[in-house]
Amino acid sequence: MKDYERSGRREVYRNPWLSFEVYDVVHPSGATGEHGLVVTPPASAAIVADGGDLLFARQPRFAVDAIAVEVV
C-alpha cells in the first residue's frame, strides 16, 4: 500500500497544551488534499485487566507516519 506523500506543513494554532498543523498531501490514490493534525505532548495509557482476552489492532496513523498498535 502506498503511503501519503507530505509536501508541506504549516502551524495554524498553538497554545501551551497543543498545536494544530495542516499538511499538504498527495493521497495514495494520487489525489491532492490537506490533512489536519492536533499535536499534543507525549502520552501513555494503561490497561487494567482481570482475566479474559485483550484485542489489539495495527492501524496506519498519519500523526506518527507509521503503523501503531492500539487497543480496540
Side-chain angles (χ1 to χ4, degrees):
M1 179 175 132
K2 183 180 174 190
D3 294 330
Y4 287 89
E5 182 181 317
R6 300 172 189 220
S7 61
R9 172 194 158 293
R10 63 192 177 283
E11 184 178 86
V12 295
Y13 178 79
R14 173 176 288 280
N15 70 27
W17 304 279
L18 61 88
S19 66
F20 186 75
E21 300 173 349
V22 176
Y23 287 82
D24 298 316
V25 298
V26 178
H27 294 268
S29 67
T32 59
E34 292 183 327
H35 189 95
L37 182 64
V38 176
V39 180
T40 61
S44 63
I47 300 170
V48 179
D50 186 17
D53 296 330
L54 297 175
L55 183 60
F56 295 89
R58 287 180 293 207
Q59 188 76 4
R61 292 295 180 199
F62 185 89
V64 295
D65 197 19
I67 304 254
V69 176
E70 303 174 342
V71 177
V72 175

